[in-house]
Amino acid sequence: MASPQAEALKQMMRDFRAAAIGTADAPPPTVEEQRAGAAAGMEVMGVMPEGVTTTETTLAGLFALDQRPDGGLDDRVVLYLHGGGYVVLSPRTHAKLTAGLAKAAGCRVVSVDYRLAPEHPHPAAVTDGLAAYRALLDEGYAPHQIAISGDSAGGGLTVATLVAARDAGVPQPACAVPLSPWVDIEGTGESMDTKAEADMVVGRDGLKLMGDMFIAGGDIRDPLAAPLYADLRGIAPLYVQVGGDETLLDDSTRLIAKAAAAGVEVRLDVFPEMQHVFQTCLGMIPEADDAIARIGQYLRTKLAID
């Protein structure tokens, strides 16, 4: 059963959805309005953990936030790819979440500001994701010292970056941690309907609005845009977390099933009654704190920290 804190946050999440994509009884918001509304919504999500230093920097020519926990390792790094439907949000909006990951894992996290649609439709995001990963390798990190993580669209981009790296002959990182990954732009999973009433954040209308801008008339099943359709053989181990009340639940379950069938080492944690990317509420709900702790332990094991 969801905690009282998580139940109390549902209205806040519904308000976030309205700010990011509008409501059915109003004209669709402009891209600028979507971005402002979504950023404002993220301001009230989560608590910034203590003991993490955040520095603005660049990686592969992209703006980035470099977050380092007190006493953490600098020779291990997590590349983070933020969510937002490939249209909204940024490293700044996700700073509390990524700081939490840095502290839990005990190592550096670099969150990059990859290019967004509609100004930069697919494949701009995956081009930037691969460039950022290559840049970390160029800094001197070995592949086994790097993990990649991301949420929602950034979770899908995490998987797409692994596929793009493999196809380019670039060694895989130690692991990847997609949170509530969006890997099917069409929204064909059964949970799009069965969880529609329970999900306060993601629905068909919003996914279509952002998906159309992201694809911009291209192939909606391009495996680097919708990695559910990718050949997943040879990619890094995957640890996926997803909420049980998400319309995108089946994106996670189908991705994990396909990856396992391709011989990929996988782990899936479904958190009952949780909303889309509930981890952003760290410090506010116990389920988010539990999820971040699990990710931290997974990353410490895969990156040989401690």
Side-chain angles (χ1 to χ4, degrees), residues 30-55:
T30 66
V31 172
E32 292 74 18
E33 289 169 339
Q34 290 181 60
R35 288 173 178 165
M42 287 293 286
E43 281 290 324
V44 298
M45 299 290 187
V47 176
M48 177 62 79
E50 297 180 355
V52 179
T53 299
T54 300
T55 305

Side-chain angles (χ1 to χ4, degrees), residues 191 195 242-254 270:
S191 57
K195 300 294 184 179
V242 66
D245 278 357
E246 294 197 45
T247 56
L248 291 178
L249 173 61
D250 283 356
D251 277 39
S252 290
T253 58
R254 290 181 295 163
V270 179

Side-chain angles (χ1 to χ4, degrees), residues 129-150:
L130 179 56
Y133 177 52
R134 286 182 184 270
L136 290 174
L137 294 171
D138 291 343
E139 284 186 17
Y141 288 97
H144 70 269
Q145 295 175 315
I146 305 173
I148 306 179
S149 183

Side-chain angles (χ1 to χ4, degrees), residues 82-151:
H82 68 83
Y86 297 105
V87 174
V88 304
L89 302 180
S90 71
R92 289 190 178 95
T93 64
H94 280 64
K96 288 176 280 189
L97 173 58
T98 49
L101 291 175
K103 189 169 184 177
C107 72
R108 178 188 183 199
V109 173
V110 181
S111 178
V112 296
D113 198 19
Y114 60 87
R115 288 172 292 170
L116 298 178
E119 297 91 343
H120 304 284
H122 178 69
V126 70
T127 298
D128 290 350
L130 179 56
Y133 177 52
R134 286 182 184 270
L136 290 174
L137 294 171
D138 291 343
E139 284 186 17
Y141 288 97
H144 70 269
Q145 295 175 315
I146 305 173
I148 306 179
S149 183
D151 63 284

Side-chain angles (χ1 to χ4, degrees), residues 189-197 204 247:
E190 289 186 8
S191 57
M192 288 301 304
D193 297 313
T194 60
K195 300 294 184 179
E197 294 300 319
R204 284 191 182 279
T247 56

Side-chain angles (χ1 to χ4, degrees), residues 148-166:
I148 306 179
S149 183
D151 63 284
S152 193
L157 181 55
T158 294
V159 181
T161 299
L162 299 180
V163 173
R166 181 204 61 201

Side-chain angles (χ1 to χ4, degrees), residues 150-188:
D151 63 284
S152 193
L157 181 55
T158 294
V159 181
T161 299
L162 299 180
V163 173
R166 181 204 61 201
D167 291 350
V170 179
Q172 292 288 292
C175 64
V177 185
L179 312 179
S180 303
W182 184 25
V183 295
D184 173 17
I185 304 301
E186 293 173 278
T188 61

